[in-house]
Amino acid sequence: MAHLTGPLLTRDTADALTAARDAGMATWTGSLDLDRSTDTATLHATHWTWQGADYPWPGPLRERTIYQHDGEAWVAISRYGNALIKLVPTPWGPPTFEIDGIKMLPTAQTSPLDDARRKVALVAPQGARVLDTCGGLGYFAACCLDAGAAHVRSFEKNADVLWLRTCNPWSPDPEAAPWQGRLSLAHADVVTAIADLADASVDAILHDPPRFGIAGELYARTFYDQLGRVLRRGGRLFHYTGSPNRLTSGRDVPREVARRLEAAGFRAAPALDGVLATRR
């Protein structure tokens, strides 16, 4: 799962590069990896150079889009298979992603990485064996590793989301030196793959499923029974739910989830934008 090494452009970054060129500057210093780091590009009339490679000046770029160079042109980091999946910039640096225009991570008030950090802290990951059921861009896993988790076992069902991770410098790479042996990432549906995990084999669980209407099986009592089986007694689970349908139907999904988890052997209560549960 090696990450790409070329520069990433947003419309704002491209505008800053071209403004520096038009102002007669010989170099431009800024971020070409979504604020992960800062570097310098050398500017020429027909192209610009970064880390020893030449790149053409981009044409007009769209908002809310991240571009990479495919060797011939600047192309949006998106794919269309069963759905349109797209990496989307944020004001915070770490990007979010969308599936058919639906944003998968909260970004309105905070970085998606900082949001993940708050949720990860609830399950006390230091020294823990962590199950990350729906890996997404890997922010839960990254925060667990940063907090000293012994090992994170992550599953992601969607191959296109796994591809987005290779384009995102903020996604942890299981092959990178800091994480080797501490992060495993499987392209698999956790609903079926969890059957292969041993009883009480994890100390904490992070469960960030898509909305109920998209993946109802990840909210089912049968799946919660499996989560209870693999989590040791006293272990913590954070289950993201959001608040779908609350305004339109009055439905309280977090409390529904909490009741279902209680029936599966947990003590559970709403926390942040989800449910925090402890295995009884």
Side-chain angles (χ1 to χ4, degrees):
M1 200 194 115
H3 282 50
L4 63 83
T5 57
L8 300 176
L9 292 183
T10 64
R11 191 166 82 171
D12 287 347
T13 306
D15 287 348
L17 274 167
T18 55
R21 177 201 62 189
D22 294 345
M25 298 173 64
T27 62
W28 172 85
T29 298
S31 180
L32 292 164
D33 59 1
L34 306 179
D35 292 336
R36 185 77 173 162
S37 65
T38 299
D39 208 343
T40 298
T42 303
L43 311 181
H44 311 279
T46 58
H47 65 280
W48 52 278
T49 303
W50 181 72
Q51 295 189 353
D54 294 338
Y55 296 95
W57 291 102
L61 302 184
R62 299 191 300 273
E63 287 188 329
R64 302 182 62 259
T65 305
I66 299 170
Y67 293 82
Q68 63 180 338
H69 197 261
D70 67 358
E72 296 183 0
W74 293 100
V75 295
I77 298 179
S78 63
R79 277 186 175 178
Y80 186 81
N82 295 324
L84 177 62
I85 294 183
K86 175 183 178 183
L87 202 62
V88 178
T90 73
W92 319 99
T96 183
F97 70 108
E98 292 180 350
I99 299 179
D100 282 341
I102 299 173
K103 186 170 63 176
M104 294 292 110
L105 300 171
T107 60
Q109 298 180 347
T110 188
S111 157
L113 193 60
D114 287 341
D115 179 75
R117 191 172 290 115
R118 292 169 60 223
K119 295 167 182 174
V120 164
L122 294 176
V123 304
Q126 185 172 11
R129 301 161 298 170
V130 181
L131 170 61
D132 176 25
T133 62
C134 305
L137 294 182
Y139 294 157
F140 275 169
C143 293
C144 285
L145 294 167
D146 287 343
H151 184 263
V152 179
R153 185 163 188 171
S154 185
F155 294 90
E156 175 52 52
K157 178 180 178 180
N158 192 311
D160 290 333
V161 173
L162 290 173
W163 172 74
L164 287 184
R165 288 176 71 135
T166 69
C167 303
N168 179 13
W170 292 94
S171 295
D173 179 359
E175 303 302 321
W179 314 132
Q180 283 181 341
R182 294 178 59 208
L183 172 61
S184 61
L185 174 61
H187 177 204
D189 184 348
V190 70
V191 171
T192 54
I194 197 170
D196 295 328
L197 303 188
D199 294 359
S201 60
V202 300
D203 304 303
I205 298 175
L206 291 157
H207 185 42
D208 185 13
R211 294 180 304 164
F212 180 85
I214 297 174
E217 68 276 11
L218 292 170
Y219 297 77
R221 167 68 190 277
T222 53
F223 182 65
Y224 293 168
D225 287 340
Q226 287 291 324
L227 294 178
R229 179 184 66 79
V230 302
L231 184 62
R232 66 165 176 82
R233 290 186 181 274
R236 298 179 185 177
L237 157 71
F238 178 76
H239 184 322
Y240 170 77
T241 63
S243 301
N245 304 319
R246 178 173 289 180
L247 295 178
T248 56
S249 69
R251 184 177 182 184
D252 192 336
V253 172
R255 292 203 177 277
E256 290 179 17
V257 165
R259 287 195 295 269
R260 206 169 294 131
L261 286 170
E262 289 273 357
F266 292 86
R267 293 188 301 273
L272 299 178
D273 52 3
V275 175
L276 179 63
T278 303
R279 180 72 168 89
R280 292 198 298 264

